[in-house]
Amino acid sequence: MHAPLEGLLAALDLTDTGARTSEDIFTGPSQWMPQGRVFGGQVLAQSLVAAMRTVPDERHVHSMHGYFLRPGDINHPITFSVDRIHDGRSFSTRRTQAYQNGVPILSMIASFQDDDEGLEHHLEMPADLPDPESLPTTADTLGHIDHDFARAWANDRPFDMRHVPSSIYLTVDGEHTSKQMIWMKTFEPIPDDPDLHRAALAYVSDYSIMEPVMRRHGLAWATPGLKVASLDHAMWWHRFGRVDEWMLYVQDSPSAQGGRGLSTGSIYSREGLLLATVAQEGMVRVPKPRD
């Protein structure tokens, strides 16, 4: 199996410590990242897995709202405490706090629901797009660059991500628009557990969600002095989809102000089903030009 994919599965395989206060306690490892900070998508997905461990199997996550409180340290494991806030006839609500060194780095509330019937509609997926197989991979773009971030993004991510129309890793080509799309999937198949696929979808949703803000202002990831950090993350799961099959992430940024930018995203299956909706606000700080 692709080594980064093994790392993802290991990170999501939390350990039940057996400890109990008024909450359920789990622990999980931190994945290596070149800047030494835990990837936000990792701690989001792990917090979700911890909450999933405390609800009945027939109830599945439909929404999650999380706040990033402090940067995590990749050199230390993470402890997750789950508060079983409420169990109703159809819904369950859980709060997960992720801790390192005794202080929270993420606070998340998630809601779970029994499968139910009801009204059905969703926005249609954009049409007339290039097939993912025809687009360059991240490794095609960054694989030749001798830099920690370039090597990590080219070789150490568990997901294959292909931008439409082009990536903003090194430059922002074409129109400076707030819209972009990304085809994405894991490099190899993962186990059939539906909750694992839901958690992995939360993981990958955090990789590129701030890029529409940057694209709108012509900022590539390689911009010297650029600082981007996630502040919060919300996600709604509408329909089940496998993350080891191609999905289209349609992204837009409605606003940027005050050193913050807001992005939204819609994730579709290749067949056009709307799987999930994402929203995130992040800090975006651009170095001031020197006089």
Side-chain angles (χ1 to χ4, degrees), residues 252-265:
D252 192 9
S253 173
S255 181
Q257 72 297 308
R260 306 186 317 278
L262 176 67
S263 285
T264 61

Side-chain angles (χ1 to χ4, degrees), residues 1 3 23 40 57 64 66 68 74 93 102 120 136 148 159 174 195 201 205 213-214 217 236 250 272 281 287:
M1 182 180 289
E23 301 177 339
D57 291 341
M64 172 267 287
F68 297 97
I74 62 169
T93 307
E120 276 278 340
D148 285 347
F159 280 84
D195 279 344
L201 192 60
S205 72
V213 179
M214 298 162 57
H217 295 273
W236 297 262
V250 181
E281 190 171 49

Side-chain angles (χ1 to χ4, degrees), residues 67-265:
Y67 280 90
F68 297 97
L69 305 176
R70 296 175 177 85
D73 185 341
I74 62 169
N75 297 303
H76 299 284
I78 306 174
T79 299
F80 302 90
S81 64
V82 181
D83 183 0
R84 303 189 184 207
I85 294 176
H86 179 69
D87 287 299
R89 288 184 296 177
S90 300
F91 291 86
S92 293
T93 307
R94 298 291 185 265
R95 184 191 67 175
T96 304
Q97 299 268 83
Y99 291 90
Q100 279 189 326
N101 299 316
V103 295
I105 63 172
L106 177 89
S107 183
M108 183 200 79
I109 289 183
S111 182
F112 300 77
Q113 182 192 13
D114 294 335
D115 290 336
D116 202 354
E117 296 182 356
L119 303 175
E120 276 278 340
H121 79 271
H122 68 78
L123 293 174
E124 292 188 3
M125 184 174 79
D128 300 323
L129 298 175
D131 291 331
E133 294 86 356
S134 69
L135 297 169
T137 67
T138 303
D140 291 334
T141 304
L142 298 178
H144 66 286
I145 299 175
D146 186 17
H147 187 280
D148 285 347
F149 274 103
R151 286 192 296 269
W153 289 8
N155 304 311
D156 296 339
R157 285 180 168 181
F159 280 84
D160 188 351
M161 303 179 66
R162 307 189 184 196
H163 286 71
V164 181
S166 59
S167 71
I168 63 167
Y169 299 130
L170 303 176
T171 60
V172 180
D173 300 325
E175 181 185 2
H176 291 177
T177 174
S178 65
K179 302 178 184 295
Q180 72 169 21
M181 292 174 284
I182 297 176
W183 286 107
M184 58 188 189
K185 71 175 184 67
T186 56
F187 280 101
E188 295 181 20
I190 68 172
D192 291 334
D193 179 1
D195 279 344
L196 178 61
H197 285 261
R198 294 182 178 100
L201 192 60
Y203 181 102
V204 72
S205 72
D206 188 46
Y207 270 138
S208 59
I209 189 61
M210 294 308 298
E211 288 188 352
V213 179
M214 298 162 57
R215 186 182 290 274
R216 172 64 177 78
H217 295 273
L219 296 169
W221 284 108
T223 302
L226 175 69
K227 294 183 179 179
V228 180
S230 304
L231 298 173
D232 62 4
H233 195 98
M235 188 165 180
W236 297 262
W237 287 257
H238 309 305
R239 298 164 183 86
F240 175 72
R242 296 186 64 96
V243 298
D244 51 10
E245 297 175 355
W246 284 113
M247 304 170 291
L248 182 70
Y249 201 175
V250 181
Q251 303 171 336
D252 192 9
S253 173
S255 181
Q257 72 297 308
R260 306 186 317 278
L262 176 67
S263 285
T264 61

Side-chain angles (χ1 to χ4, degrees), residues 6-16 26-33 38-39 41-47 49 53 72-80 98-100 105 203:
E6 288 184 348
L8 169 62
L9 297 179
L12 299 183
D13 186 18
L14 302 185
T15 299
D16 186 340
F26 304 89
T27 61
S30 297
Q31 295 178 289
W32 181 86
M33 292 291 287
V38 173
F39 169 50
Q42 175 210 301
V43 69
L44 276 173
Q46 289 174 313
S47 296
V49 169
R53 297 275 188 92
D73 185 341
I74 62 169
N75 297 303
H76 299 284
I78 306 174
T79 299
F80 302 90
Y99 291 90
Q100 279 189 326
I105 63 172
Y203 181 102

